[in-house]
Amino acid sequence: MLAIEKNTALIKAEALRLGFSSCGIAKAVQLDGDAVRLERWLKNGYQGSMQYMERNFDLRIDPRKLVPGAKSVITLLLNYAPAQKQATAAPKIAKYAYGIDYHFVIRDKLNELLDFIKVNVGEVDGRGFVDSAPVLERSWAVRAGQGWVGKNGNLLTRHAGSFFFIATLISDLDLVADVPFATDHCGTCTRCIDACPTQAIVSPTEIDATKCISYLTIELKDALIPSSFHTKMEGWMFGCDICQDVCPWNRFSKPNVEPAFTPLPEILNLSLHEWEEMSEETFKKVFKNSPLNRPKWKGIQRNLRAIRVTNHP
């Protein structure tokens, strides 16, 4: 037991040294309750064109099928709250996309953590994930004592709000599990539900992605944003932070200290017209390692046409 406790403390200390905001651990078990909720969500068609959500259902609900012999699920949070704000005239971009693509940043940190474990604890089988595999990150974060799922569907913490990424490391290492987060601190507050311009929050914690501005501007890929949403975009060109910005718990968020998340000047300062005039060649050069590269230049131009309705009739 002493070895398990020692290994747990070592891993948590190294996670913080690597820059993660916090680290929690849960036992690797099948998520039966989440399986029921996920099945209902998919049946309602709330995934829209995100067909990847329909695949690998069994893997999503059981980490032992992703990593054979898995015993622990390590959840890591990484703060991305920026110190700077966009210029008033700039098309709105979700805060998580101000700097370098978080996938690059977190994958490097996860690989470092896994290497540390192999050197200091012993040879282990483990895989790190950051929203690129069938893992229910928020569910594991709650089980690892990190926070609760708010009415806006985001993981919330009492000390730092919700502006952070969730990474998961599934391992066959036996570790001391944290106490699951069992309370909900949203209370009677409905600010996120009331503020959503497209009414994407159909009920507390349940999101219809097909109505979400983040989905419309990023996940919809080559399809046009339905004209019925054009007057509801509120200037969001990439993603949306409305439900997080109005959340009272985010008054506790603090600016991140990750150099890779330093905002690109173009994201902070370019006007709607300057974005529209940007060539595809310039876009590829400036945003090569940015999350904005996901919908590509073509997708960004599509989004600009949708928000111009409200910005410049």
Side-chain angles (χ1 to χ4, degrees):
M1 185 61 184
L2 287 176
I4 295 175
E5 292 175 347
K6 179 186 175 183
N7 292 340
T8 301
L10 273 175
I11 291 170
K12 287 189 173 184
E14 178 64 9
L16 296 179
R17 190 195 69 79
L18 288 170
F20 286 108
S21 310
S22 64
C23 174
I25 298 168
K27 292 296 182 184
V29 296
Q30 182 167 305
L31 301 174
D32 295 322
D34 290 278
V36 174
R37 286 188 287 273
L38 177 59
E39 195 168 28
R40 183 181 67 231
W41 188 77
L42 292 170
K43 188 176 180 180
N44 286 333
Y46 291 157
Q47 75 278 23
S49 62
M50 297 184 291
Q51 295 177 343
Y52 61 87
M53 292 297 298
E54 303 165 27
R55 297 191 290 268
N56 301 315
F57 187 90
D58 291 345
L59 298 183
R60 286 185 191 281
I61 64 170
D62 194 342
R64 296 166 300 184
K65 292 182 178 178
L66 276 171
V67 177
K71 294 180 181 177
S72 301
V73 179
I74 303 170
T75 292
L76 304 134
L77 304 184
L78 182 61
N79 177 29
Y80 67 80
Q84 296 166 278
K85 294 182 179 181
Q86 286 187 280
T88 305
K92 298 175 185 175
I93 295 170
K95 296 175 184 62
Y96 79 82
Y98 282 11
I100 292 175
D101 192 326
Y102 62 96
H103 291 94
F104 304 139
V105 179
I106 295 178
R107 280 173 188 158
D108 286 346
K109 292 182 185 294
L110 285 175
N111 288 334
E112 282 191 65
L113 181 58
L114 198 52
D115 288 343
F116 171 87
I117 293 172
K118 289 177 179 178
V119 170
N120 293 276
V121 177
E123 191 60 34
V124 298
D125 188 12
R127 290 178 65 188
F129 304 95
V130 51
D131 75 12
S132 57
V135 177
L136 298 176
E137 297 102 337
R138 288 169 300 175
S139 298
W140 288 113
V142 174
R143 283 177 171 262
Q146 297 297 286
W148 75 100
V149 176
K151 291 175 183 175
N152 61 7
N154 289 303
L155 183 77
L156 296 176
T157 68
R158 287 179 292 187
H159 61 280
S162 63
F163 291 118
F164 46 76
F165 301 113
I166 306 175
T168 309
L169 180 60
I170 301 174
S171 166
D172 62 355
L173 194 61
D174 198 9
L175 298 169
V176 179
D178 289 289
V179 178
F181 205 96
T183 52
D184 182 315
H185 296 274
C186 288
T188 59
C189 178
T190 58
R191 291 187 193 181
C192 58
I193 297 174
D194 300 336
C196 180
T198 59
Q199 298 181 313
I201 308 174
V202 293
S203 64
T205 75
E206 190 169 35
I207 313 300
D208 180 352
T210 66
K211 295 180 180 179
C212 178
I213 293 174
S214 287
Y215 168 86
L216 295 170
T217 55
I218 303 171
E219 298 289 351
L220 204 51
K221 304 305 179 190
D222 296 330
L224 293 175
I225 296 175
S227 58
S228 59
F229 288 109
H230 289 191
T231 58
K232 302 174 182 178
M233 302 290 288
E234 298 198 1
W236 289 95
M237 181 188 78
F238 180 93
C240 179
D241 281 333
I242 292 175
C243 66
Q244 296 194 85
D245 286 338
V246 300
C247 178
W249 288 105
N250 275 321
R251 69 187 185 275
F252 296 115
S253 65
K254 296 177 179 63
N256 75 79
V257 293
E258 172 56 56
F261 295 155
T262 300
L264 293 172
E266 292 83 358
I267 285 177
L268 295 179
N269 302 314
L270 291 185
S271 66
L272 179 66
H273 178 70
E274 287 172 314
W275 277 101
E276 291 175 325
E277 293 298 309
M278 184 183 297
S279 68
E280 186 170 5
E281 182 182 3
T282 298
F283 179 86
K284 286 181 177 179
K285 182 180 179 181
V286 175
F287 300 104
K288 179 183 178 181
N289 296 317
S290 164
L292 269 70
N293 197 38
R294 188 171 177 184
K296 306 189 184 308
W297 176 84
K298 183 179 177 181
I300 293 296
Q301 292 299 316
R302 173 205 62 181
N303 297 345
L304 290 167
R305 288 192 292 273
I307 65 174
R308 175 164 276 282
V309 173
T310 52
N311 279 46
H312 297 278

